[in-house]
Amino acid sequence: AQSVTQLDSQVPVFEEAPVELRCNYSSSVSVYLFWYVQYPNQGLQLLLKYLSGSTLVKGINGFEAEFNKSQTSFHLRKPSVHISDTAEYFCAVRLLNYGGSQGNLIFGKGTKLSVKP
Amino acid sequence: GAGVSQSPSNKVTEKGKDVELRCDPISGHTALYWYRQSLGQGLEFLIYFQGNSAPDKSGLPSDRFSAERTGGSVSTLTIQRTQQEDSAVYLCASSPQGAGEQYFGPGTRLTVT
């Protein structure tokens, strides 16, 4: 069965420090990969996506992620975080098969990033 | 432009009552999705509409849940005979034809007392 694992449920970090939020997936078919961010009491906002091409993708707010097919990973990174980056981050995959729920996203459990001054 | 909108933003209902949740997708988006977000289960897929095709209902947790999409636009998620375990945030998303990503609304927080 397909699954997404976010290895850290909570990540505390000081302002201006670098951060990496880890994501691994399991799938027998090719996938699209996404990171979404959720601020308190809000919906999900797309940070970045990998559909094809370069494995290093850049998103909004200075975030980037690298797709590693051999390790089935899609870790999210930012070189210097701000207080405003405090939020919950979700990794998600969309399967590229042609049966069943091929359209929906499968989400990880989320990582709460807490940026401290 | 306008994003995905959902109403109501909050709904409190008594156990056993029926509720309807509404989603207005981004204009022109052909695909519409419903997800449920709860503390114990995380983000779960419920149902998916793509154009005029039959919806994919594989994520609906029970036959108390149903959804429809009228005119290829607005969608309503109905939960009959609500139970306390239905308490969650219900998120709607839409996607244009051929796109990988989905755009989410702000959600409806449902509380069943």
Side-chain angles (χ1 to χ4, degrees):
Chain A
Q2 295 79 16
S3 65
V4 178
T5 302
Q6 292 184 242
L7 296 165
D8 305 300
S9 59
Q10 298 189 53
V11 173
V13 64
F14 287 106
E15 193 174 19
E16 298 183 5
V19 70
E20 179 179 79
L21 306 184
R22 296 178 293 170
C23 173
N24 288 85
Y25 69 93
S26 172
S27 175
S28 56
V29 301
S30 297
V31 298
Y32 289 159
L33 294 150
F34 307 88
W35 277 97
Y36 283 86
V37 60
Q38 187 175 38
Y39 299 101
N41 299 313
Q42 295 188 26
L44 297 169
Q45 180 182 3
L46 180 67
L47 267 181
L48 48 77
K49 62 186 178 185
Y50 172 79
L51 306 183
S52 65
S54 172
T55 57
L56 181 63
V57 293
K58 295 187 183 298
I60 62 171
N61 302 338
F63 285 92
E64 64 180 31
E66 185 155 22
F67 170 50
N68 187 318
K69 188 173 183 179
S70 63
Q71 296 186 6
T72 60
S73 67
F74 192 54
H75 301 332
L76 180 71
R77 297 190 290 260
K78 185 169 182 178
S80 176
V81 295
H82 302 134
I83 299 287
S84 59
D85 292 324
T86 295
E88 190 160 18
Y89 293 78
F90 292 92
C91 181
V93 303
R94 179 181 163 187
L95 306 181
L96 297 180
N97 60 355
Y98 296 97
S101 304
Q102 74 268 27
N104 64 284
L105 296 174
I106 302 168
F107 287 91
K109 294 291 189 185
T111 297
K112 291 185 178 178
L113 177 64
S114 175
V115 182
K116 304 179 185 303
Chain B
V4 178
S5 61
Q6 294 186 243
S7 61
S9 55
N10 282 283
K11 176 72 176 178
V12 180
T13 190
E14 293 179 353
K15 177 181 173 181
K17 301 283 190 182
D18 297 351
V19 294
E20 287 188 350
L21 312 179
R22 177 187 168 102
C23 172
D24 282 89
I26 294 171
S27 178
H29 282 195
T30 56
L32 186 148
Y33 311 79
W34 283 97
Y35 295 86
R36 179 169 70 174
Q37 185 175 26
S38 57
L39 282 175
Q41 301 299 321
L43 277 153
E44 304 172 278
F45 163 70
L46 296 176
I47 188 169
Y48 159 49
F49 297 88
Q50 174 62 59
N52 296 320
S53 302
D56 180 341
K57 305 178 183 180
S58 61
L60 294 178
S62 78
D63 58 8
R64 296 186 295 105
F65 288 72
S66 63
E68 61 178 22
R69 188 180 186 191
T70 53
S73 180
V74 171
S75 177
T76 302
L77 177 70
T78 301
I79 309 173
Q80 295 179 309
R81 305 181 303 282
T82 51
Q83 304 295 312
Q84 288 189 328
E85 60 264 29
D86 299 334
S87 295
V89 176
Y90 289 81
L91 293 166
C92 176
S94 69
S95 178
Q97 179 73 33
E101 68 272 24
Q102 298 174 15
Y103 298 87
F104 284 79
T108 294
R109 181 175 298 276
L110 175 66
T111 304
V112 182
T113 61

